[in-house]
Amino acid sequence: MASDQESSVVEAVSGAQIIAEALVAQNVKYMFGIVGIPVIEVAIAAQAAGIKYIGMRNEQAACYAASAVGYLTGRPGVCLVVSGPGLINALSGMANSNMNCWPLIVLAGSSDTNQEIMGAFQEFPQVETCRLYSKFSARPSSLEAIPVVIEKAVRSSIYGRPGACYVDIPGDYVNKMVNRNDVRYTECCLPPPLSLADTSAVHKALSVLKNASQPLLIIGKGAAHSRAEKSIQQLVEQCGLPFLPTPMGKGVVADNHPNCVAAARSSALLHADVIVLLGARLNWILHFGLPPRFRADVKIIQVDICAEELGNNVRPAATLLGDIDAVTQQLLEHLSRTSWKHPANSNWWKNLRAKIRQNEENSKVLASQTSLPMNYYTVFYKIKELLPNNCIIVSEGANTMDIGRTVLQNYYPRHRLDAGTFGTMGVGLGFAIAAAMVTKEQNPEQKVICVEGDSAFGFSGMEVETICRYNLPIIIIVVNNNGIYSGFDEQSWKDMLEAGDPASIAPPLSLKPNARYEQVMTAFGGKGYFVRTPEELQSSLKSSLAEKNVPSLINVMIDPQSDRKKQEFHWLTRSNL
């Protein structure tokens, strides 16, 4: 009799446990968020199931961090937020992830199912709202169906063009119990299928390329996400092709490779007659592929995983639909049957190398200036001298990001994170936290260098507490010019304040001069440095790099009127200021 009773005993499991177990089954390892009613138990269950939970200070930063994990690892991170305003704060991260084509799962609590349309606490049409910002948005119909919905969300986030997915969790689901045997558990989704380009399209693309007199490869972050670094480097070297990385395509082939023409970017884009786009889009970052930045008769060979992207803005001469790595290997296979190689002594290479030397010399002249306050180039060249080759560089800001991208080099793929396709400011500290969590697991000695403009730092400065709480190997460098694009020195600011109310007369671009951002770091137990000279900068960076478990922030004062060297073309600078 007792044995019959024992056999009838069933194991009950809560909604929070089901969610956590379903995420683990899909090989999800990181969760970032801010907890509150009704999702506290979800975070606790996730930790108990083996997922690393990182509590953030703002939902935007949490979502940025979760999306960066998706890019760095190929597996989506999870952003866990509360209902209503919590989810709305995360929408920026969802939109950024979708624009960047990075896998992400957002889980948000919502009002109880029996209180819908009654004006429940933080009630909001969350599933409908998230459809605008994601590839997939759904609420499980029952606790038993949660694993099926989570599997589809993870699968959707990594298949095809990656992106954000949303799963809605009603508050009454979290602690409700059901029979484990009734839950529809699912196995981990299969890896994304690799698609190949049509053979005839490969032949057409190679015919166009071989007839080029001034060819150029453009390597985008789609190539980095595809893990195409080995095949692309082989293509570059086997064919003797110059290449230009987009901002987050940097490092797919090392920036110091002799075929990298990043220092002659404008000239390479303007004069190339055939351009091969490897996981890069002809959007604003590449000036839409149109004159005056490109030749009117340029031939585009476009390689992309998304059919809808092919032909945007410029009609391509050849289209190769498929996984970047797989298609590059197709190209290499066909090229191996010939001995074609662009000659290293061509006029094209001679002109590019001359432009590279000229631009590098111009930058070095600016970097060698000894006047104080320092300019951008002095700061970045002094930083460059000390950075380890394998550090991950996170950067945001206006001139800070643009100039830093041209000076600070990347030698490995997926080692640069910045404002990206959406041009999103405020991503820096969230991205840095994600990168540090990943490197802490894979390479504990690796450093994350987060280079921020002072305005950009202000978007998520309180995440410094998160960095200190988790002892993350992050060095934040704030390049402080007292404003957005430009600011005032301290005396000019005081003189202006004496003239009247700052809300009426202070230029909208200005920020408080000489703000002591480093004290935010020291307030939470990290190391802070206030820097005015090149010697102080290098000394503080050396000390920060030597620290094992203490984050640091270096607040670098520069000339408020410092600017980029003169550009052949303006870079989104329509303002006359």
Side-chain angles (χ1 to χ4, degrees):
M1 187 74 174
S3 60
D4 290 341
Q5 288 178 344
E6 289 171 2
S7 64
S8 65
V9 173
V10 296
E11 181 184 356
V13 62
S14 71
Q17 289 175 283
I18 296 170
I19 293 166
E21 291 170 3
L23 291 170
V24 170
Q26 299 306 318
N27 199 25
V28 171
K29 296 182 178 179
Y30 299 94
M31 178 181 285
F32 303 82
I34 297 179
V35 297
I37 297 171
V39 298
I40 298 171
E41 291 84 356
V42 175
I44 294 171
Q47 281 187 316
I51 294 172
K52 293 187 181 298
Y53 175 80
I54 301 91
M56 306 283 283
R57 300 303 297 264
N58 182 280
E59 290 93 351
Q60 277 190 14
C63 207
Y64 295 143
S67 68
V69 160
Y71 174 64
L72 293 169
T73 69
R75 210 71 190 173
V78 172
C79 176
L80 178 69
V81 296
V82 299
S83 52
L87 175 66
I88 291 169
N89 285 345
L91 293 180
S92 296
M94 291 182 70
N96 189 67
S97 180
N98 241 23
M99 291 291 186
N100 276 340
C101 307
W102 290 355
L104 164 72
I105 304 296
V106 175
L107 291 177
S110 60
S111 50
D112 291 1
T113 53
N114 64 353
Q115 296 176 356
E116 282 189 284
I117 73 167
M118 295 175 65
F121 175 66
Q122 295 183 336
E123 185 175 0
F124 189 70
Q126 298 182 179
V127 175
E128 294 86 345
T129 298
C130 288
R131 288 197 177 107
L132 293 173
Y133 302 87
S134 64
K135 293 181 66 180
F136 171 79
S137 179
R139 169 189 283 191
S141 59
S142 64
L143 268 70
E144 292 85 349
I146 286 173
V148 175
V149 174
I150 286 178
E151 186 274 342
K152 181 162 185 178
V154 171
R155 177 162 42 88
S156 298
S157 77
I158 61 175
Y159 275 34
R161 173 181 274 181
C165 293
Y166 173 67
V167 178
D168 193 72
I169 307 296
D172 53 326
Y173 277 22
V174 174
N175 291 311
K176 185 178 179 181
M177 309 292 288
V178 295
N179 183 347
R180 181 181 288 279
N181 294 333
D182 294 333
V183 178
R184 296 163 56 193
Y185 286 104
T186 61
E187 295 181 12
C188 186
C189 63
L190 294 171
L194 297 182
S195 53
L196 296 173
D198 184 81
T199 302
S200 63
V202 173
H203 286 301
K204 183 176 182 181
L206 290 176
S207 175
V208 174
L209 180 61
K210 289 177 181 179
N211 285 311
S213 59
Q214 297 180 166
L216 177 68
L217 292 184
I218 297 181
I219 303 172
K221 68 174 176 291
H225 187 272
S226 178
R227 272 58 179 171
E229 47 266 22
K230 289 183 180 179
S231 59
I232 291 178
Q233 180 164 341
Q234 185 179 344
L235 180 66
V236 166
E237 294 174 349
Q238 182 173 317
C239 297
L241 295 170
F243 74 89
L244 175 70
T246 65
M248 277 189 275
K250 283 167 63 70
V252 170
V253 183
D255 283 347
N256 64 348
H257 192 283
N259 290 38
C260 181
V261 296
R265 182 183 191 276
S266 293
S267 186
L269 293 179
L270 178 60
H271 298 293
D273 62 350
V274 172
I275 293 176
V276 183
L277 290 175
L278 294 170
R281 290 174 272 181
L282 290 178
N283 55 21
W284 66 274
I285 293 176
L286 288 175
H287 320 287
F288 314 108
L290 299 173
R293 300 302 297 266
F294 290 76
R295 287 172 49 153
D297 62 346
V298 65
K299 292 182 173 64
I300 300 293
I301 300 169
Q302 198 168 2
V303 186
D304 204 282
I305 199 171
C306 178
E308 290 80 1
E309 188 61 39
L310 300 174
N312 270 353
N313 299 318
V314 174
R315 183 181 178 87
T319 58
L320 301 172
L321 175 63
D323 174 77
I324 307 301
D325 185 39
V327 173
T328 305
Q329 290 183 43
Q330 281 184 281
L331 293 169
L332 287 167
E333 182 182 351
H334 285 76
L335 283 164
S336 66
R337 301 167 191 164
T338 70
S339 58
W340 181 81
K341 185 173 186 177
H342 183 73
N345 61 349
S346 67
N347 287 334
W348 178 228
W349 263 121
K350 291 176 184 176
N351 293 337
L352 287 173
R353 290 186 178 118
K355 193 66 176 179
I356 288 170
R357 286 193 297 271
Q358 178 187 337
N359 287 344
E360 288 179 343
E361 287 168 6
N362 291 342
S363 294
K364 287 177 181 177
V365 168
L366 289 168
S368 65
Q369 292 181 2
T370 58
S371 59
L372 296 177
M374 294 180 284
N375 64 45
Y376 283 106
Y377 291 88
T378 302
V379 168
F380 283 121
Y381 273 90
K382 294 300 180 183
I383 292 171
K384 179 184 177 181
E385 289 174 5
L386 296 178
L387 288 190
N389 283 0
N390 72 336
C391 69
I392 293 180
I393 299 173
V394 180
S395 186
E396 63 173 332
N399 288 334
T400 297
M401 183 174 65
D402 292 341
I403 300 171
R405 181 171 63 241
T406 64
V407 178
L408 302 180
Q409 295 195 319
N410 292 96
Y411 304 93
Y412 299 96
R414 297 168 296 282
H415 277 53
R416 179 181 169 86
L417 299 165
D418 67 19
T421 306
F422 212 23
T424 308
M425 291 299 148
V427 297
L429 269 63
F431 283 1
I433 289 167
M437 289 300 302
V438 172
T439 60
K440 203 173 182 181
E441 289 283 303
Q442 299 177 358
N443 184 0
E445 300 300 316
Q446 192 173 16
K447 293 287 188 180
V448 177
I449 312 297
C450 184
V451 186
E452 301 269 300
D454 49 331
S455 173
F457 176 75
F459 280 86
S460 55
M462 278 303 292
E463 297 301 339
V464 165
E465 187 274 332
T466 308
I467 292 169
C468 290
R469 190 173 1 124
Y470 291 98
N471 285 326
L472 297 177
I474 297 172
I475 300 170
I476 301 170
I477 302 174
V478 178
V479 183
N480 190 347
N481 70 345
N482 302 334
I484 304 169
Y485 300 109
S486 62
F488 285 98
D489 60 39
E490 200 156 24
Q491 186 57 52
S492 299
W493 180 259
K494 289 178 180 177
D495 293 343
M496 184 191 64
L497 290 185
E498 291 177 0
D501 179 5
S504 300
I505 61 175
L509 298 176
S510 60
L511 297 171
K512 183 173 175 57
N514 299 344
R516 302 299 296 267
Y517 297 114
E518 80 285 355
Q519 294 182 5
V520 179
M521 179 64 84
T522 59
F524 296 113
K527 293 288 183 70
Y529 303 88
F530 186 70
V531 165
R532 293 181 183 272
T533 68
E535 294 75 20
E536 291 173 346
L537 172 56
Q538 290 209 312
S539 174
S540 60
L541 184 52
K542 285 178 183 177
S543 297
S544 299
L545 289 167
E547 291 284 356
K548 294 295 183 183
N549 295 310
V550 181
S552 60
L553 189 153
I554 304 171
N555 185 14
V556 185
M557 304 308 302
I558 68 168
D559 182 352
Q561 300 303 311
S562 180
D563 201 355
R564 300 185 68 179
K565 62 182 174 66
K566 187 176 180 181
Q567 301 294 300
E568 185 175 354
F569 294 98
H570 291 294
W571 175 260
L572 292 179
T573 50
R574 288 185 291 271
S575 174
N576 292 322
L577 294 175

